[in-house]
Amino acid sequence: MPSTNSWLSIRQDFPILDQQVNGHPLIYLDNAATAQKPRAVLDCLDHYYERDNSNVHRGLHELSNRATTAYEGARERLAAYIGAEAGEIIFTRGTTESINLVARTWGDAHVGEGDIILLTEMEHHSNLVPWQLLAKRKGASLRFVPVTPDGLLDLSNIDELLAGPVKIFSFVHISNSLGTINPAAELCARARLAGVTTLVDAAQSSGHLPLDVRELGCDFLAFSGHKMCGPTGIGILWGRKDILAAMEPFHGGGEMIASVGFTESEFKPAPYRFEAGTPAIAQAIGLGAAAEYIDGIGRAAIFDHDQALARQAVDLLEEIPGLRILGPRHDRGGLVAFVLKDAHAHDIVSMADQYGLALRGGHHCTQPLLRKLGVPASARASFYFYNTPEEVEQMAAIVRKIQTFFA
Ligand code: PMP
């Protein structure tokens, strides 16, 4: 685990953090929405565009070869990052596109009339709406693992929920609204016993804790590059090799074909059959650099660091009168969402911004969950390894000031 000093020197890798916002030093606590990018990733993008920029796969010249080598190298880097094989790593635009890909291809082939898609009540809209669309297309229905008032999955009858014509169980690893860490390996094991395919939404976990798809035992895993120090517009869908091999293409176009006739085409094997058109080359290479950078620090250390900040935040925030914290008390990922009596989350976040504090307010793309919890919106502070205990203290002090305004 890096010492306090080395965490501070790691922070120096992020030029964006060194600025004033509204006359105050920036305190960036909106990492669950998107994380900042270290110099290593920025330099990698610069280098690519200054030296190697070219289209991949089709070229027979030096720059194209370099771009292809770097792009495929990133695929290998990402495979190592989650204990997978390179052929199982599909580059997508992010978690949302990864889940849509599965719902459209695997879903269309395996989910039929009367079948059930199992989700949880704490899903991000991106792990809900694609399944609603699939259910509508196919005459299937959705079933939900309930969330308890303290923000945990109620697993008391999980085996019954997995029973019947359930085809897929798609669930979030770490909730972006509650911070809950779901027991992903156990859930996948239970689903496997029931013969149900699993998809893990790792958007909030991929940059925050060690992930190994074989240990998780899932069938699909989805995450976004921008939440783990990588660029926007790039993400990963991992799928088990045998499952990917049997899946129809998602988008049609160049790059994904083996041969094309006027009326019919043959497709490349996975992962290329799922990457139609010119891919996000620089972004994929940048994501490879981000994975390298994160593993240079160590995800176990990052997890401990972020959890400690979240614990500190819970302890400080819960002393503020009229403040309610959503989700489990201490056993949580590095984020804390809360509501203040009589204050709308948007007002809290706008006022915090006047102090240079970046929070996020709203429904966090989990409208049904917040409705169930009886709150229209929440304010959320989310942490990463470059945040400090001093920033958490300042955040709590600012929220306390805001509270007195509404008292
Ligand atoms: N799932 C979760 C848990 C998330 O937090 C997010 C992003 N807020 C997403 C999915 C969607 O990610 P993206 O917008 O990068 O596709």
Side-chain angles (χ1 to χ4, degrees):
M1 173 100 172
S3 65
T4 307
N5 278 345
S6 32
W7 285 120
L8 287 176
S9 85
I10 286 168
R11 186 181 164 92
Q12 308 302 316
D13 294 341
F14 293 80
I16 199 170
L17 297 176
D18 184 20
Q19 63 172 295
Q20 303 264 315
V21 168
N22 293 322
H24 298 270
L26 168 66
I27 303 176
Y28 185 80
L29 299 183
D30 194 18
N31 296 288
T34 201
Q36 299 303 348
K37 323 303 174 199
R39 182 68 72 194
V41 171
L42 302 176
D43 287 349
C44 169
L45 295 172
D46 272 358
H47 178 91
Y48 171 74
Y49 280 124
E50 284 175 6
R51 305 287 309 159
D52 300 338
N53 178 50
S54 184
N55 213 330
V56 289
H57 297 147
R58 291 171 290 219
L60 290 174
H61 60 81
E62 171 64 17
L63 263 53
S64 179
N65 288 339
R66 278 194 228 150
T68 305
T69 303
Y71 180 71
E72 290 306 324
R75 195 191 303 279
E76 277 165 29
R77 188 68 201 74
L78 268 305
Y81 189 76
I82 57 167
E85 289 177 31
E88 299 170 321
I89 298 288
I90 299 164
F91 284 119
T92 64
R93 285 195 297 124
T95 310
T96 303
E97 191 177 70
S98 297
I99 297 172
N100 276 280
L101 191 162
V102 176
R104 266 281 169 191
T105 59
W106 186 94
D108 274 1
H110 291 89
V111 175
E113 182 143 9
D115 284 340
I116 292 169
I117 297 156
L118 181 63
L119 307 171
T120 82
E121 285 179 344
M122 64 170 80
E123 296 314 317
H124 189 279
H125 297 164
S126 66
N127 195 28
L128 175 57
V129 182
W131 303 115
Q132 290 175 346
L133 294 172
L134 171 65
K136 203 162 188 178
R137 279 199 303 280
K138 293 295 187 156
S141 59
L142 303 176
R143 180 185 274 179
F144 295 89
V145 180
V147 170
T148 65
D150 48 357
L152 298 171
L153 289 182
D154 176 357
L155 299 175
S156 53
N157 62 347
I158 183 69
D159 293 329
E160 283 136 62
L161 290 170
L162 282 162
V166 179
K167 293 293 162 175
I168 188 160
F169 179 22
S170 187
F171 63 90
V172 70
H173 193 183
I174 298 184
S175 160
N176 66 308
S177 281
L178 302 172
T180 315
I181 306 172
N182 289 319
E186 183 193 329
L187 295 178
C188 290
R190 297 292 261 276
R192 203 165 45 251
L193 282 176
V196 173
T197 299
T198 47
L199 186 154
V200 176
D201 170 356
Q204 294 296 341
S205 58
S206 66
H208 293 264
L209 47 76
L211 271 187
D212 184 304
V213 287
R214 314 284 170 207
E215 278 170 24
L216 279 177
C218 52
D219 295 304
F220 296 106
L221 181 100
F223 57 94
S224 302
H226 67 97
K227 293 181 197 283
M228 49 171 283
C229 299
T232 48
I234 190 74
I236 298 295
L237 172 67
W238 170 84
R240 259 187 28 217
K241 206 169 21 178
D242 54 321
I243 298 184
L244 293 183
M247 270 161 58
E248 290 294 318
F250 179 37
H251 295 144
E255 301 266 354
M256 49 80 75
I257 46 81
S259 79
V260 178
F262 278 117
T263 54
E264 267 188 275
S265 300
E266 282 172 21
F267 309 114
K268 283 185 182 157
Y272 306 106
R273 81 164 39 199
F274 303 108
E275 293 179 6
T278 300
I281 305 166
Q283 291 84 342
I285 297 169
L287 179 54
E292 186 91 33
Y293 177 83
I294 287 174
D295 274 352
I297 300 170
R299 274 174 280 170
I302 290 173
F303 182 65
D304 290 347
H305 174 275
D306 297 353
Q307 267 210 319
L309 293 188
R311 260 199 305 274
Q312 182 195 355
V314 168
D315 288 344
L316 292 172
L317 289 172
E318 70 183 1
E319 283 171 12
I320 297 174
L323 188 146
R324 173 183 162 201
I325 289 171
L326 305 181
R329 195 164 172 277
H330 269 164
D331 201 7
R332 56 163 67 231
L335 64 93
V336 181
F338 58 92
V339 288
L340 258 185
K341 196 165 164 292
D342 300 329
H344 193 279
H346 288 161
D347 294 330
I348 298 172
V349 174
S350 302
M351 290 170 83
D353 183 50
Q354 296 311 305
Y355 296 92
L357 169 61
L359 300 175
R360 187 151 294 256
H363 51 61
H364 312 293
C365 294
T366 53
Q367 275 185 356
L369 172 68
L370 290 207
R371 243 177 248 130
K372 169 158 179 169
L373 296 176
V375 293
S378 75
R380 181 184 71 191
S382 52
F383 313 107
Y384 214 4
F385 53 82
Y386 40 70
N387 293 125
T388 65
E390 291 72 32
E391 287 182 314
V392 174
E393 260 170 44
Q394 285 159 8
M395 179 272 293
I398 292 166
V399 174
R400 191 177 274 277
K401 269 190 222 157
I402 294 172
Q403 186 273 329
T404 54
F405 187 84
F406 288 98

